[in-house]
Amino acid sequence: MPDYRNLIGGELVPASDGRTLDSVNPATGEVWARIPASGAPDAEAAVAAARRAFPAWSALPALARAGYLRKVSEVFARNAEELARLETRDNGRILRDTLKKDLPGMAYLWQLAAGQCLDAAKGDTVILGPDTLGLTRREPYGVAVCIIPWNSPISTFSAKAAYALAAGNTVIVKPAEQASASVLRLGELLAEVFPPGVLNIVSGLGEEVGDALVRHRDVAKISLTGSTATGQAITRASADALKPLTFELGGKSPNIVFPDADLDAAAQGVTVNSVYTGNAGQVCVAGSRILIHHSIWDELLDRITRICAELVLDDPLDLRTTMGPIVSSAQYEHVRSYLELAEKEGASLLFGGRTGAEVVPGLPGGYWVSPTLYTTTDNSLRLCQEEIFGPVAVAMPFSSDEEALAIANDSRYGLAAGVWTRDLGRAHRFVRDLQSGTVWVNTFRQMPPGLPFGGVKDSGYGHDSVLEYTREKAAIIQI
Ligand code: NAD
């Protein structure tokens, strides 16, 4: 059974006290690997290594740093198949997505970040007067801690580490305890690429090694992609030291379909690659509230139902599979609890609601939930307000643009939204008025590197980019 190690100071090491956590294949429920259950001493060692490496790394000319990042891109290109299979086995995200979308995207992202190393070195010049010159310069923070979730570990690792390193920080990545294997394997591959201590990876529980990292006095910057509750816990833990934070958190995204939309495209867009396929709805931007104009209610629901009936739930390593399992037994129970809640709250079940071996009889130990859709007219239900993080959506009718907007914005979250219409004026009004970090029009879940991706309200603030990992300094020079 694979036994993964942390990457600390250029060395691949177990947790200092030897403790491990089991990694479970969610499609089968079987333990398939072990990862270090790191604690405070490991956090201490990683911070010390990153701190030692910082002066030399940050002093490198931007173009020299870019050279290292381009080598990472090559590592992704050379090892794409292995990494994609590992991640699929570890977290159940279907191979179709890890292999065909994520990994090719990573090689590109690290190239892009390499090209942005110079942006972090740029400043402004302001002529304040004939004899007075104003200058700004950007500086890296120092040791940056990047905490990532389990649903797309390699993508989230890259979106943070590439930019933090490009800006001249040294980095510690803390992958999620449910799915760390692909990132730890990446650590093995990247140990040869970076000077010791520039990139460190420590796995373990959030409340143990994660907490020790965010509280550490020598950690200068924290970026989290995770739940809102974890964002709040990190805010509290780092408050005394006033650490700068970047938070990409949870969501309950609306997908709004108007009668003038291309209904085939809309039905496809609100189901596939939104709340049902890929990660089985375990996606921060999942369009889990589908708002449908009453005049197309039956027609669209009929198309949605037909699309979902064709989804293939099976071994995520099989390229024919279009929807995988829930990541862990805890998350499985969490999703199941919402199926019970929906019934108690009086929502109507349109399809789905099945779990376990009933869904995929060939893989009875896996954490399976069938694509599920409820209908209701009451957006105040917990079903409509809370993030479920599974293949469970709720459809609600509306009669006017104003009503659609009011329902969409009636949420503590504001991560993403979809609008399906051919009316350009309406599209622009919704882009303006939706309280959301991203608005997609006639598409969903396109997240190209180069555009900001982040949330508002309880979905967080800031977004991963090279500049996010720098701070600005001003100089006024009297000549
Ligand atoms: P989580 O918040 O439970 O865990 C995320 C990471 O934080 C893990 O590495 C975990 O170990 C760590 N952590 C937990 N408690 C901590 C603490 N007290 N101190 C330091 N670190 C701690 O989230 P999850 O269950 O892994 O992922 C699902 C959540 O992530 C959902 O809410 C989802 O919406 C969100 N998410 C957001 C985005 C985005 O870009 N907005 C992307 C993917 C997932």
Side-chain angles (χ1 to χ4, degrees), residues 148 150 174 177 206 225-227 230 248-250 284 387 389 453:
I148 64 175
W150 42 261
K174 210 300 274 173
E177 47 272 39
T225 294
S227 63
T230 301
E248 294 181 3
L249 307 177
C284 54
E387 185 180 45
F389 225 56
F453 176 73

Side-chain angles (χ1 to χ4, degrees), residues 270-288:
V270 304
T271 52
V272 175
N273 207 26
S274 171
V275 66
Y276 295 125
T277 57
N279 282 64
Q282 301 159 101
V283 179
C284 54
V285 297
S288 49

Side-chain angles (χ1 to χ4, degrees), residues 402-437:
E402 294 71 28
E403 191 189 4
L405 185 68
I407 298 173
N409 284 341
D410 175 22
S411 170
R412 61 188 279 232
Y413 294 110
L415 189 60
V419 182
W420 299 82
T421 180
R422 288 191 173 100
D423 179 333
L424 194 58
R426 174 190 278 145
H428 277 287
R429 281 194 299 279
F430 274 80
V431 166
R432 183 192 64 201
D433 295 338
L434 280 164
Q435 296 163 357
S436 173

Side-chain angles (χ1 to χ4, degrees), residues 1-5 20-25 28-36 86 89-90 181 185 188:
M1 183 175 306
D3 198 356
Y4 290 99
R5 304 284 160 117
T20 59
L21 293 169
D22 290 339
S23 237
V24 174
N25 176 346
T28 61
E30 285 159 10
V31 175
W32 75 278
R34 290 204 185 85
I35 61 168
L86 248 177
R89 169 163 299 157
D90 208 25
R185 170 68 183 131
E188 293 171 10

